[in-house]
Amino acid sequence: MRTALIQLTSTRDINQNLATSRRLAESAAEAGARWLLFPENAPFMGPDPEKLAIAETIEGPIVDFYREIARETNTWLTLGSFPEKTSDEKRTLNTSLMIDPQGQITAIYRKIHLFDVETQEGQVFCESDSVQPGKDLVVTPVSITNADGVKQTRNVGLTICYDLRFPELYRALVNKDAHVLTVPAAFTLATGRDHWHALLQARAIENQCYVLAPNQWGNNYGNRHCYGHSVIYDPWGRQIACASDREMFIIADLDFDYLDQVRQKMPCLAHQRL
């Protein structure tokens, strides 16, 4: 299952963000990717309160744009997140979508854990001031026919960014039969330098899953900098692709025969006691 993670430096300029999304998506599809994954806040990256002004429903033009990309490239597409409008005028939802090659939305995940943190550098983030938390776990199938004409269907557990720090969420997704875990993110430079790879590798090892983590990179606005290093870890915890410091995409083939072998030879999931 050839998969591409698209690393962006999204800003307040929605049109520019969408143009970059399309350009990199088309290049990744031309390179053979059948599943494209975008980071958190792909269409707009600004202070959380500013998202209220551009928030839209699932039927809005931003989502339609990414659905069109999926159709045009004939790929599955994970829109890492966009600000979904709610009935509360002061709060949005931080929502991730799975879109099939026909442009149909097959799964909706709303971020459960919200980023209310003061970093060591003194930056303060309070996502819950303008974002509602989601409640539901989401595991959804993805089906892709490979170059040999063999159709593979595997289950994907959806998460977003700060969720990464809560391992119980990922174990719950695996207990619902997830084989792949997605972590679209806008992980900060300050926390990413120390924790990004360690946490992602841990989630891969302890859950014996592929972990796909497209991240924002660089200076998005003001003093907000993201770590980048969009990365794919395999079920043994090996890093099989990682982005450098620029807007780009990375590609890797997910080998589910290998995933099955890892789980058979080290049957940790069957040994759970709690």
Side-chain angles (χ1 to χ4, degrees), residues 29-228:
E30 288 173 4
R34 308 272 32 97
W35 180 11
L36 311 176
L37 295 95
F38 288 87
E40 182 183 25
N41 300 323
F44 178 84
M45 186 75 176
D48 286 327
E50 290 187 13
K51 296 173 186 174
L52 292 167
I54 60 98
E56 64 177 48
T57 66
I58 300 293
E59 293 78 26
I62 289 174
V63 173
D64 282 348
F65 178 87
Y66 286 93
R67 293 175 66 187
E68 182 178 315
I69 290 178
R71 286 193 296 268
E72 291 179 351
T73 57
N74 191 33
T75 60
W76 286 84
L77 187 149
T78 301
L79 172 53
S81 81
F82 79 101
E84 182 186 358
K85 194 171 186 176
T86 72
S87 58
D88 184 344
E89 294 182 355
K90 295 183 179 180
R91 300 170 89 193
T92 68
L93 287 158
N94 192 344
T95 301
S96 182
L97 302 176
M98 184 70 77
I99 302 169
D100 73 13
Q102 289 73 49
Q104 300 301 309
I105 297 169
T106 62
I108 302 169
Y109 169 70
R110 297 173 172 103
K111 187 177 183 182
I112 292 174
H113 300 96
L114 302 183
F115 191 53
D116 292 353
V117 171
E118 180 176 353
T119 70
Q120 292 180 347
E121 287 75 12
Q123 281 185 289
V124 177
F125 302 91
C126 195
E127 190 176 19
S128 65
D129 280 351
S130 56
V131 179
Q132 293 179 2
K135 299 178 181 179
D136 298 326
L137 300 181
V138 177
V139 176
T140 186
V142 170
S143 298
I144 294 177
T145 302
N146 65 22
D148 298 323
V150 177
K151 185 176 182 179
Q152 294 197 35
T153 300
R154 290 295 173 125
N155 295 326
V156 180
L158 306 184
T159 71
I160 300 174
C161 200
Y162 191 53
D163 285 332
L164 180 59
R165 294 184 179 274
F166 300 88
E168 66 276 10
L169 170 62
Y170 293 85
R171 181 48 56 91
L173 293 171
V174 170
N175 287 342
K176 291 171 71 70
D177 204 28
H179 307 102
V180 182
L181 302 168
T182 61
V183 194
F187 224 79
T188 67
L189 177 62
T191 56
R193 285 181 300 211
D194 294 325
H195 296 165
W196 175 247
H197 287 292
L199 289 168
L200 290 166
Q201 186 179 38
R203 299 297 89 83
I205 293 170
E206 68 199 8
N207 295 298
Q208 299 177 316
C209 284
Y210 281 99
V211 173
L212 312 180
N215 198 19
Q216 293 278 349
W217 169 79
N219 182 203
N220 305 101
Y221 63 89
N223 64 349
R224 179 69 152 91
H225 292 77
C226 286
Y227 182 62

